[in-house]
């Protein structure tokens, strides 16, 4: 692997990813799905797993992992099996951006296109939302020195908000760039996750929908067809937990702790229990359901991630703040 050529070079990484995407498109157009295509596309998956390690910045490693090692590699794997969001018949630039970015393109035949009259309002709302999130994240970074005086669980809540806002802005920027470059619409990536009323609503319909889509196609649907819905749900949350564990390893360059996987396995088990309860009792009123969900999410997040602060994770996070914000 020619990682030295890619070391801390966004242009070289972009070139390598572009070549890999073009190769993927060519292979998919001429090689039948199944083992032959998987074998031909395996080097692309290896490249996407290695690319984040070319960066010394934890932020760039994390972003590259999300875009390529997770979403990109899963999309290529699904394409090798003739499934998923990628289509080799797409124009070259469309295919390239669909591989490299956390977006799902809305084609002319897709029934999810938005009415033209709604687009200006949605664009304005997106700009306002992103501006608020950017300002909030910047303010939190500037006042990190104050975090040491806060209770551990308050700090965890603020870290959670920072991660949520950061990833939503990152994905929104990718979607906006893709939409502008291709003059196409992209499917929503986050849909007001703070209004979720259940784990099913949050993970399946509101939070990080590009990841949900590839996990559904790669893990949930095949296992559900063979072993049932419960097995599909548990396996999906397990894979998600392992990928989040890998994300933390790539970002921190430290060994896995298992806490990320534990968090998602807990949510997978609760998701199965949620379906069991839904078959026996009616759902609570929406406001109460939202409050119960927020309480569960906050509690599970704090129980699982509080030990990370004792393992040096918090010190690592603080090491990336601005020098002007340090004591």
């Amino acid at each position: 692997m020619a990682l030295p050529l890619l070391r801390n070079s966004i242009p070289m990484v972009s070139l390598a990813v572009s070549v890999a995407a073009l190769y993927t498109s060519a292979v998919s157009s001429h090689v039948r799905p199944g083992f032959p295509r998987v074998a031909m596309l395996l080097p692309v998956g290896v490249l996407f797993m290695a690319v984040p390690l070319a960066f010394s910045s934890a932020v760039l490693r994390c972003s590259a992992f999300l875009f390529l090692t997770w979403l990109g590699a899963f999309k290529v794997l699904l394409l090798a099996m003739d499934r998923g969001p990628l289509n080799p018949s797409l124009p070259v630039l469309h295919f390239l951006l669909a591989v490299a970015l956390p977006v799902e393109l809305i084609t002319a035949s897709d029934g999810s296109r938005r009415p033209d009259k709604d687009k200006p309002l949605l664009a304005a709302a997106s700009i306002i939302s992103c501006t608020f999130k950017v300002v909030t994240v910047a303010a939190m970074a500037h006042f990190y020195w104050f975090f040491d005086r806060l209770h551990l669980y308050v700090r965890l809540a603020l870290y959670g908000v920072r991660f949520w806002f950061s990833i939503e802005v990152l994905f929104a920027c990718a979607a906006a760039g893709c939409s502008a470059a291709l003059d196409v619409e992209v499917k929503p990536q986050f849909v007001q996750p703070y209004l979720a009323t259940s784990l099913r609503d949050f993970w399946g319909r509101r939070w990080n929908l590009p990841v949900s889509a590839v996990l559904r196609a790669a893990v949930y649907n095949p296992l559900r067809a063979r072993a049932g819905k419960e097995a599909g749900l548990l396996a999906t949350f397990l894979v998600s937990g392992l990928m989040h564990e890998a994300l933390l390893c790539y970002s921190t360059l430290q060994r896995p702790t298992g806490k990320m996987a534990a968090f998602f396995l807990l949510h997978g088990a609760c998701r199965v229990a949620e379906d069991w309860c839904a078959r026996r009792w009616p759902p609570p009123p929406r406001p109460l359901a939202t409050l119960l969900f927020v309480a569960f999410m906050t509690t599970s997040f704090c129980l699982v991630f509080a030990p990370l602060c004792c393992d040096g994770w918090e010190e690592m996070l603080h090491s990336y703040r601005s020098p002007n914000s340090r004591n």
Side-chain angles (χ1 to χ4, degrees):
M1 185 65 61
L3 278 182
L5 295 176
L6 309 180
R7 182 68 61 187
N8 290 321
S9 175
I10 293 178
M12 289 301 296
V13 167
S14 301
L15 177 61
V17 171
S18 299
V19 171
L22 294 176
Y23 169 78
T24 300
S25 178
V27 168
S28 302
S29 299
H30 296 91
V31 179
R32 62 183 177 85
F35 180 77
R37 191 185 288 184
V38 171
M40 293 287 288
L41 294 181
L42 185 60
V44 176
V46 173
L47 173 67
F48 284 179
M49 287 189 290
V51 159
L53 299 176
F55 296 110
S56 58
S57 164
V59 174
L60 291 179
R61 285 198 304 272
C62 180
S63 301
F65 181 93
L66 282 170
F67 285 22
L68 300 174
T69 308
W70 190 336
L71 281 169
F74 269 70
K75 290 176 184 178
V76 171
L77 172 64
L78 286 168
L79 180 60
M81 305 304 295
D82 202 27
R83 298 201 302 267
L86 296 180
N87 187 338
S89 65
L90 286 172
V92 171
L93 186 57
H94 290 63
F95 187 87
L96 192 158
L97 294 182
V99 170
L101 297 178
V103 297
E104 288 187 83
L105 305 181
I106 298 179
T107 61
S109 60
D110 199 316
S112 58
R113 290 179 64 88
R114 303 182 183 93
D116 290 341
K117 63 182 180 64
D118 293 342
K119 292 179 182 178
L121 181 61
L122 291 171
S126 178
I127 292 172
I128 293 172
S129 175
C130 286
T131 301
F132 170 75
K133 291 179 174 67
V134 168
V135 171
T136 302
V137 170
M140 292 174 66
H142 184 72
F143 288 103
Y144 260 143
W145 60 269
F146 183 70
F147 277 35
D148 296 336
R149 307 179 187 181
L150 301 176
H151 189 276
L152 172 61
Y153 290 147
V154 176
R155 299 201 305 272
L156 280 173
L158 292 174
Y159 293 141
V161 170
R162 180 198 174 188
F163 174 76
W164 165 25
F165 283 8
S166 297
I167 191 174
E168 193 163 335
V169 169
L170 178 65
F171 277 38
C173 290
C178 180
S179 182
L182 304 179
D183 193 25
V184 298
E185 291 184 63
V186 299
K187 294 183 180 180
Q189 298 158 309
F190 294 84
V191 183
Q192 298 175 311
Y194 50 86
L195 295 180
T197 57
S198 64
L199 289 171
R200 177 182 183 180
D201 187 30
F202 180 80
W203 292 117
R205 301 168 183 165
R206 295 183 180 275
W207 179 261
N208 204 346
L209 298 183
V211 166
S212 296
V214 297
L215 286 175
R216 186 179 298 112
V219 183
Y220 176 73
N221 289 340
L223 271 176
R224 179 180 181 178
R226 291 169 174 79
K229 182 177 181 180
E230 290 76 12
L233 284 171
L234 291 173
T236 301
F237 277 92
L238 173 61
V239 171
S240 181
L242 293 175
M243 294 305 294
H244 280 85
E245 198 77 44
L247 171 63
L248 190 62
C249 292
Y250 271 75
S251 301
T252 63
L253 300 180
Q254 296 179 3
R255 292 182 178 180
T257 64
K259 295 180 176 66
M260 282 283 191
F263 175 80
F264 282 91
L265 278 176
L266 171 64
H267 277 236
C270 291
R271 175 70 178 82
V272 172
E274 184 181 81
D275 277 355
W276 184 86
C277 293
R279 291 193 295 267
R280 286 159 176 79
W281 298 288
R286 186 178 184 87
L288 177 59
T290 298
L291 287 175
L292 290 173
F293 169 77
V294 171
F296 170 79
M297 180 65 77
T298 303
T299 302
S300 61
F301 181 85
C302 290
L303 287 176
V304 173
F305 289 101
L308 285 175
C309 293
C310 302
D311 295 339
W313 173 81
E314 191 170 17
E315 287 74 12
M316 179 277 300
L317 183 63
H318 281 209
S319 69
Y320 302 118
R321 61 186 174 179
S322 169
N324 295 330
S325 65
R326 297 178 184 172
N327 287 333

